[in-house]
Amino acid sequence: MSAPNTKPAETLVALQPSCRKSAAHALTIVRDGVITGEGPTTRGRIHFSRTLDADDAAWCACILTAGAVAHQPVSRAEAEALFEINDAATERSDDGRFDDLLAKAVAHHAASESGLPVPPRTVALSPDTDIASWAPAHAKKIDAQMVEWIASQMRGKRRHNRTLARMVATVLGAAALPLSQLSNVLDIGMM
């Protein structure tokens, strides 16, 4: 995936990660742009604070699928940075791309940390790839601590990511839990 076309060349270089740590840092730059409406990821366009638009989602995808990290699992720091972006954005104009990317990145991290094989990021995070085509289908294969970590990231949030909740419920196998128990784990109530 290429970076948004409206970005100056120096921004593209600054956000090109060399490792998962620098990818996580680049995602915090996107987060800061979402929060303030200013910064290197918003230059050359009108961007309102607390708004996540298609360019912001494209920046995240570009960072997460950069050549230096494309064949490595999504790290905890990268996933946490995506959760921070999700929390920072009170308005969305990205047609759901960020929610899809967040759910897939979290599933990629959870599966790899549980010792399960994952496809390259360029495949797993693609909007053209169905998450169910590669993500684990049985809860017993995902480490319980991973499921709890995901649930802790989702608890008490003002904006619920339906894609992520659905991923937890179906792909991680939490659907096997009684609905009342799933609701308590994720604090999602009636979605």
Side-chain angles (χ1 to χ4, degrees), residues 19-25 27 64 69 72-83 105-110 112-113 121 125 146 149:
C19 63
R20 295 185 312 170
K21 183 178 178 181
S22 64
H25 176 70
L27 290 169
L64 289 169
V69 296
Q72 299 174 16
V74 173
S75 70
R76 168 87 44 116
E78 290 168 304
E80 288 176 346
L82 290 171
F83 276 118
V106 169
H108 201 263
H109 171 67
S112 68
E113 284 295 307
R121 294 177 185 211
L125 305 181
M146 277 283 98
W149 173 77

Side-chain angles (χ1 to χ4, degrees), residues 64 74 79 82-83 86 96-110 124-125 131 134-135 150 161-168 171-172:
L64 289 169
V74 173
L82 290 171
F83 276 118
N86 186 60
R97 174 61 179 127
F98 182 81
D99 284 350
D100 180 67
L101 183 66
L102 173 62
K104 289 174 179 176
V106 169
H108 201 263
H109 171 67
L125 305 181
I131 192 170
W134 62 266
I150 294 167
N161 180 319
R162 292 180 189 275
T163 305
L164 186 57
R166 196 168 38 253
M167 182 269 305
V168 170
V171 178
L172 294 184

Side-chain angles (χ1 to χ4, degrees), residues 34 49-52 85-92 158-159:
V34 167
S49 63
R50 298 287 179 176
T51 299
L52 188 143
I85 293 168
N86 186 60
D87 293 344
T90 57
E91 299 292 327
R92 302 289 175 98
R158 66 179 180 270
R159 176 179 165 76

